């Protein structure tokens, strides 16, 4: 260590380096998106809890997805909104590392929950007679708990590898939150092990699950084509296409972010992609599931009807 190096105790999040007038516009826009994220996922979660017709494995996992999306957005967006309104954009190092840990944990959880949801649809469409036996509440609970526990354990591995590094500058992160690749740039030691583990985790938590999802939906597609009833085929296709939209949005942006070759402006690209799956994707998920799902729309109508007649 050189004598001119100092240990990092707080860092500055540079965020979006735009004109002040545009910052106020972005604050209003992102605040609206964040409110819609909390409202949409909160409504989905509330409907699943209140309507007994939605007490099925599919909506059980959808409720976990809503919790992940609200937690994921709440971990990253509030600090970004605060920084858009102030010139002092610092964050202490410990909260920064905790933000990195939670961001990774929720991202891993979303990957695994989406895989479990695809397995649920595979069993429901390809083995409808044995669905209630295979996807019992005990199995659903075990799958959900396993997804959460494994996600936090994998994030803990990244956290331990980060904390073993010496951090002595620079004191600026060119991002709107403490994203792991940006945090590693603060280290004044070789980060090859961290980079290797990140790549291995991406293969395991992104490419692997995405392949499982694609295999599941290939089998589901052939099963849908064999359904004789036009109404049954339409309902199955509507449900699965909603899930595929969510899978494509999340996995696509994450793979481009962490596995695609870097562009000439990697940091600006990272900001846009991180904003996409930190804010836009959690906001779009409830819209996709509600607009294309007759059961959710029916539950919303029944809930509103009950409220009018109370």
């Amino acid at each position: 260590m050189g004598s001119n190096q100092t240990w990092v105790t707080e860092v500055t999040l540079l965020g979006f380096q735009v004109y002040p007038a545009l910052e106020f516009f972005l604050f209003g826009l992102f605040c609206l998106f964040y409110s819609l994220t909390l409202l949409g996922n909160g409504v989905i979660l509330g409907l699943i809890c209140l309507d007994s017709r939605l007490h099925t494995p599919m909506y059980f996992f959808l409720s976990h997805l809503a919790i992940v999306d609200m937690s994921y957005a709440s971990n990253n967006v509030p600090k970004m909104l605060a920084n858009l309104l102030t010139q002092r954009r610092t964050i202490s190092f410990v909260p920064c590392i905790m933000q990195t840990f939670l961001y990774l944990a929720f991202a891993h959880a979303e990957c695994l929950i989406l895989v479990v949801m695809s397995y649920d649809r595979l069993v429901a469409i390809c083995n409808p007679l044995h669905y209630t036996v295979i996807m019992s509440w005990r199995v659903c609970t075990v799958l959900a708990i396993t997804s959460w526990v494994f996600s936090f354990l994998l994030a803990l591995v990244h956290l331990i590898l980060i904390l073993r590094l010496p951090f002595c500058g620079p004191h600026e992160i060119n991002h709107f939150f403490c994203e792991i690749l940006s945090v590693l740039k603060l280290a004044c030691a070789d980060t090859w092990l961290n980079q290797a583990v990140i790549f291995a985790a991406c293969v395991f938590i992104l490419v692997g699950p995405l392949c499982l999802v694609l295999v599941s939906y290939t089998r589901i597609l052939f099963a849908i084509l064999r359904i004789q009833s036009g109404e049954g085929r339409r309902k199955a296709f509507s449900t699965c296409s909603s899930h595929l939209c969510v899978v494509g949005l999340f996995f696509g942006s994450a793979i481009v972010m962490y596995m695609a070759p870097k562009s000439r402006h990697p940091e600006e690209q990272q900001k846009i992609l991180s904003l996409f799956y930190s804010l836009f994707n959690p906001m779009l998920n409830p819209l996709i599931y509600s607009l294309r799902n007759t059961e959710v729309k029916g539950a919303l109508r029944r809930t509103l009807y009950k409220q009018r007649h109370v």
Side-chain angles (χ1 to χ4, degrees), residues 266-284:
E267 291 176 335
E268 298 306 313
Q269 180 192 57
Q270 287 177 15
K271 291 179 190 178
I272 296 171
L273 288 172
S274 296
L275 188 64
F276 190 86
Y277 61 76
S278 295
L279 185 58
F280 297 154
N281 204 41
M283 180 188 68
L284 291 174

Side-chain angles (χ1 to χ4, degrees), residues 135-166:
M135 297 302 294
S136 64
W137 283 113
R138 180 179 179 181
V139 171
C140 293
T141 303
V142 169
L143 288 173
I145 292 175
T146 302
S147 298
W148 282 101
V149 171
F150 184 81
S151 300
F152 275 83
L153 287 177
L154 185 55
L156 185 62
V157 171
H158 289 293
L159 179 65
I160 293 171
L161 291 176
I162 290 174
L163 292 178
R164 58 178 276 277
L165 296 171

Side-chain angles (χ1 to χ4, degrees), residues 66-85:
I67 293 171
V68 170
D69 284 338
M70 287 190 291
S71 303
Y72 196 50
S74 297
N75 182 58
N76 301 339
V77 177
K79 183 61 178 175
M80 176 187 71
L81 293 175
N83 288 345
L84 286 171
L85 293 179

Side-chain angles (χ1 to χ4, degrees), residues 5 38 42 62 70 78 87 90 94 96 109 129 138 170 201 203 209 216-217 227-228 242 285:
Q5 291 177 319
L38 297 182
L62 181 56
M70 287 190 291
Q87 295 301 314
T90 58
V94 173
C96 180
L129 298 179
R138 180 179 179 181
V203 173
S216 297
Y217 276 97
I227 296 176
Q228 300 297 322
S242 299
N285 283 356

Side-chain angles (χ1 to χ4, degrees), residues 100 103-104 107-108 111 154-162 164-165 167 178-185 190-208 254-260 262 270 277:
T100 303
Y103 145 76
L104 291 170
H108 296 155
C111 290
L154 185 55
L156 185 62
V157 171
H158 289 293
L159 179 65
I160 293 171
L161 291 176
I162 290 174
R164 58 178 276 277
L165 296 171
F167 289 91
C178 296
E179 191 271 332
I180 186 170
L181 296 178
S182 299
V183 169
L184 289 178
K185 293 177 182 178
D190 193 357
T191 60
W192 70 269
L193 179 59
N194 299 75
Q195 300 284 353
V197 172
I198 289 172
F199 185 82
C202 286
V203 173
F204 185 74
I205 208 75
L206 286 176
V207 178
I255 287 175
V256 170
M257 174 77 175
Y258 290 103
M259 303 196 73
K262 304 303 179 185
Q270 287 177 15
Y277 61 76

Side-chain angles (χ1 to χ4, degrees), residues 230-275:
E231 177 65 21
R233 187 184 305 168
R234 185 200 61 78
K235 182 178 179 181
F237 184 78
S238 176
T239 302
C240 295
S241 60
S242 299
H243 187 206
L244 276 176
C245 288
V246 173
V247 168
L249 288 171
F250 182 81
F251 281 94
S253 57
I255 287 175
V256 170
M257 174 77 175
Y258 290 103
M259 303 196 73
K262 304 303 179 185
S263 67
R264 294 181 181 179
H265 307 284
E267 291 176 335
E268 298 306 313
Q269 180 192 57
Q270 287 177 15
K271 291 179 190 178
I272 296 171
L273 288 172
S274 296
L275 188 64

Side-chain angles (χ1 to χ4, degrees), residues 114-134:
L114 288 173
V115 172
V116 172
M117 290 176 71
S118 69
Y119 174 70
D120 171 71
R121 290 300 85 203
L122 176 66
V123 175
I125 293 174
C126 297
N127 295 285
L129 298 179
H130 301 94
Y131 177 68
T132 55
V133 176
I134 298 174

